[in-house]
Every structure is written in C-alpha cells, then in structure tokens.
Amino acid sequence: MNQAENKQSPYIALKYPQFVAFIFANSFVTMALLIQEVVLGYAIYKITHDPLALGLVGLAEALPYISLALFGGHLADRRNKKTLMQASLAFIIVGSLVLIWATSPNSGLSQTQLLTVVYGVIMLIGFARGFYSPASSSLNPFLIPKEVFANAATWQSSFWQAGAILGPGLAGFLYAYLGLTNTLWVVVGLFGVVMLLISTITSPPIPVQNEQKVNIFYSLREGIAYVFKTKVILYSISLDLFSVLFGGVIALLPVYSEDILHVGAEGLGILRAAPSIGAVLTMLVMVYFPPLNNAWRNLLLAIAGFGIATLVFALSTNVWLSAGALFFTGAFDSVSVIIRQTVLRYFTPDEMRGRVSSVNGIFVSSSNELGAFESGLAAKLLGTVPSVIFGGAMTMIIVTIVWFRSKELFNLKFDK
C-alpha cells in the first residue's frame, strides 16, 4: 500500500538526494549560461545595433556544439559521465574568465577586438557543451528508478525553468546596476556552485560491453539509426526543432526592448523572464496533473498554442501584452518539455542514452542557437516584426502537417 502511495506522490523523485543535487546543478548552470547570454547579447546590440550580430551569437555556439555532440554522446556511453561534466564545466569557467578580462575597462581592446574575443569564447563554450550536455542528460536517468521517470521529468524541468526565470530576470538588473564585467563574475560564482553539486553525485559504472574497443563511427551510426527508426522520439524532437527554429523570438528581445517597446535593460529582463515564469507555474500544476494521458494530442496542442502566442507577441506594441504573450509561449512549451523528456527516458535503452541524448541535444541546439541565427537573419532581411510573424505562422503549419502524419501516436501510453 505504501509503495502504491509513493508512486502516486507528486514529490517521489525528490526523495533521491543525488537527483536533487543534479536538478539544482542543472538549474544553476542554466541560470549562469542565460545571464551570460543575455548580458553579452545586450552589450553586442548596444555596440552594433544589428540584429544579425545577435543571430551570430547563436551560430557561434551552435556550430561547435553540433560538430562535437555525437562524439560527446559516444564518450558519455563509454566513459565516466561525472568526470566528463566536471572537465567540460572547468573549460566553460576558463572561457568566462577570459570574458571578464576582455570586458574589463583595463583590457585595452577596441570594439572590434572585443567582439572577436566574445564570439571566440562563445565558440569554445559551444565545444565544451558538446561534451557536457550528453554526459549530463545520460547521467540523469541513472539517478532515479524507472517508475518515477515522469515525475522526475516534471521536477527537472521545473528546476531548469526556475534557473531560466532567474537568469534572464536577474541579467537585466545585474547589467544595469553592476555592469557587464561584474555580472560575469556572478556567472563564474554560479559555475563554482555547480561544480560542488556535481562532486556529490556518483557516476554509474560503465557497462562491461562498453569497455571494449568499438568503432566510433559504427557507434555513432547506431545512435542516429535508433532515433530515426523510433518514430515517437523522432517526431517529438523534430517538433521541438522546427517550432523553436522558426517560432523562437528570444534572440530578438534586445531589439524589441530597445527599438520597439523602448523599455531598456530592465524591460529586457522582464521580457526574458516572462516565458520561464509561464513555464514554471505550468510545471508546478503538472506535478499534480501530468499531461501524459493523451500525451501526443497534448504535445501537438501545446506547440500550436506556442505558435499562436508567438503571433500575438509579434503584433504587440505594449510591453505588458508582449510579456503576457511570452508568458504563454513558456507555459505551452513546458507541456511539450515534460512529454518529450518522458518519451526520451522511456524509449531509450540504458546503453544508448549518451548517443540518443546527443542526437536530441543537436536537435535542441539547432532549434535554440541556430534558431537565434535564423531569427537574426530573418529580421535583417524581412524586418523584425515580419520575421516573427513568419516564424509563428510556420510553427502552425508544421503542427498541422505532423498532426496528420502521426495519427498512430495518438494512442501513445506510458507504463505506470
């Protein structure tokens, strides 16, 4: 009886201390990276006043990440996951220290040299994330039993979104009151906390068969093939790729805050935080009411809602209406995240989690960082508002196509 009650408890995943340490680390690293991303993006736009320059930030991080993520997934399946995370995080900390030097008043760098260093460090951080992300994603399922995967996905996403709220929300105010360089010191401090939390986690043993010498290209092909033959995984991560690739507006928020809504750095913090506030509040509700009954229908409806909210944001000239629209993009996206993470946990074999996570990471990175480049390029060619309208409309078209092509997945169920 107690076991049945535990399985139904909305807090069951939080009874595992290493999982709790993991989700706190996940939250803090997200917060740190987003603070860094927001203040660097705002500083770059203040220097260049060019939306394409913002898009290039996403491209600079995405290309190295995508080039290494599959190899990072291969290593995550065959090496100590915790060690890979720590080494990658140390590399990211070094990059952040270089940014502190470059942005300090005593660096003596010209604006062109400063931009070169910033883009270069962003590329190096992208390389490091190519190892950190697959190791982190593949470690996570080993920290909790399978029967609480869905609950764990909700809590992990909630903590991630908490970091995603505090990061952008603090970034604008930290930039306004501390300046760029001192804000980057805050980022380094958060990375230090993450390193301490990771040190408390025990990495799972490497399976015996993975210690044998395996052809790396065969290993990578095996991971890619598994994703493409497992329709529920392929469709779920493809929906995320295309909806955020076309419908994401985050990279353009400095343009909106400066030139359309005229709300400055503090307003940028509010706009950046709004999607995550919507997401975390929705996820708190989903702790008690998981969206896994009629999961595929719920996933498609959530992404359609994301597209509609994007269109409202595109047409708004009022900061509070814009923030409200962004709130709902986060709320709808949170439903999508819970379902997609549960799909990945349930349908991926333990021995392939690193490689499948890396393929998923490439899709996510493509949607976020390459989506940022697409947003910047589209804004440059079409204008800021028309580019966001185009993205929202494309999201609606993609959802409609997938709805008719994936009818067999409407019966998708998860074992309890």
Side-chain angles (χ1 to χ4, degrees):
M1 183 68 177
N2 288 335
Q3 184 179 7
E5 289 174 356
N6 283 341
K7 287 185 178 180
Q8 298 301 318
S9 169
Y11 307 103
I12 182 66
L14 301 183
K15 296 182 178 181
Y16 299 89
Q18 295 197 45
F19 175 72
V20 173
F22 176 87
I23 60 177
F24 269 105
N26 194 32
S27 179
F28 286 134
V29 79
T30 300
M31 188 190 310
L33 288 171
L34 286 175
I35 290 173
Q36 188 165 267
E37 176 187 319
V38 170
V39 297
L40 289 177
Y42 190 70
I44 288 171
Y45 188 70
K46 293 282 282 186
I47 292 171
T48 65
H49 292 281
D50 185 353
L52 184 58
L54 297 174
L56 290 174
V57 172
L59 188 65
E61 187 170 4
L63 291 182
Y65 174 84
I66 291 171
S67 68
L68 278 181
L70 284 175
F71 181 64
H74 169 81
L75 287 181
D77 284 335
R78 286 163 172 78
R79 297 291 185 269
N80 187 295
K81 297 172 175 59
K82 174 180 170 180
T83 302
L84 284 173
M85 291 172 66
Q86 290 173 317
S88 303
L89 186 59
F91 198 79
I92 292 172
I93 291 172
V94 170
S96 297
L97 291 172
V98 172
L99 288 174
I100 289 172
W101 164 78
T103 59
S104 66
N106 299 324
S107 69
L109 298 178
S110 67
Q111 287 188 350
T112 301
Q113 291 171 328
L114 174 60
L115 289 174
T116 302
V117 172
V118 169
Y119 284 123
V121 170
I122 289 171
M123 290 184 68
L124 292 176
I125 290 175
F127 278 117
R129 284 185 55 237
F131 294 97
Y132 182 92
S133 294
S136 173
S137 297
S138 60
L139 172 63
N140 179 17
F142 290 97
L143 305 178
I144 31 89
K146 187 171 184 179
E147 60 266 22
V148 297
F149 275 2
N151 183 255
T154 303
W155 280 111
Q156 181 190 343
S157 299
S158 297
F159 272 71
W160 183 90
Q161 290 291 354
I165 288 173
L166 293 174
L170 288 172
F173 294 101
L174 289 172
Y175 185 97
Y177 295 107
L178 297 181
L180 178 58
T181 303
N182 288 332
T183 300
L184 293 175
W185 276 115
V186 174
V187 169
V188 170
L190 287 170
F191 284 140
V193 173
V194 174
M195 189 71 83
L196 289 174
L197 288 168
I198 293 173
S199 69
T200 68
I201 297 172
T202 302
S203 186
I206 303 169
V208 174
Q209 63 268 25
N210 285 346
E211 295 176 350
Q212 300 172 356
K213 187 173 181 180
V214 177
N215 183 287
I216 183 172
F217 295 106
Y218 173 80
S219 172
L220 299 182
R221 284 197 304 270
E222 189 179 32
I224 296 170
Y226 182 82
V227 170
F228 277 85
K229 76 180 181 182
T230 310
K231 187 174 288 189
V232 63
I233 294 179
L234 178 63
Y235 275 171
S236 63
I237 63 179
S238 296
L239 278 167
D240 178 72
L241 166 64
F242 290 110
S243 62
V244 180
L245 180 65
F246 290 112
V249 298
I250 297 301
L252 297 178
L253 291 186
V255 184
Y256 270 85
S257 65
E258 280 289 299
D259 299 338
I260 296 175
L261 301 174
H262 308 290
V263 291
E266 290 95 338
L268 174 61
I270 293 171
L271 294 175
R272 281 300 307 255
S276 295
I277 293 173
V280 78
L281 291 178
T282 303
M283 285 178 175
L284 290 175
V285 173
M286 288 191 293
V287 168
Y288 297 92
F289 305 100
L292 300 181
N293 289 330
N294 300 310
W296 195 251
R297 182 206 64 185
N298 292 340
L299 177 63
L300 292 171
L301 290 176
I303 295 175
F306 177 89
I308 293 170
T310 300
L311 290 171
V312 173
F313 173 81
L315 298 171
S316 169
T317 56
N318 177 277
V319 63
W320 297 113
L321 177 59
S322 299
L326 290 171
F327 174 95
F328 281 105
T329 64
F332 287 119
D333 186 53
S334 66
V335 179
S336 168
V337 167
I338 295 296
I339 296 171
R340 286 187 288 105
Q341 288 192 355
T342 305
V343 164
L344 285 174
R345 283 179 169 86
Y346 268 92
F347 294 99
T348 304
D350 284 346
E351 68 276 8
M352 297 187 68
R353 291 195 183 279
R355 284 164 289 172
V356 173
S357 295
S358 69
V359 175
N360 177 61
I362 288 174
F363 277 66
V364 171
S365 180
S366 298
S367 64
N368 291 330
E369 282 78 19
L370 290 184
F373 175 69
E374 182 275 335
S375 296
L377 181 60
K380 180 85 170 177
L381 298 175
L382 303 175
T384 301
V385 173
S387 71
V388 179
I389 294 173
F390 169 77
M394 286 298 298
T395 299
M396 301 302 296
I397 291 170
I398 290 162
V399 170
T400 302
I401 293 172
V402 174
W403 185 288
F404 288 105
R405 290 181 61 89
S406 62
K407 290 184 177 179
E408 69 275 19
L409 296 180
F410 280 79
N411 296 319
L412 178 68
K413 295 185 184 299
F414 298 103
D415 296 331
K416 301 296 183 184

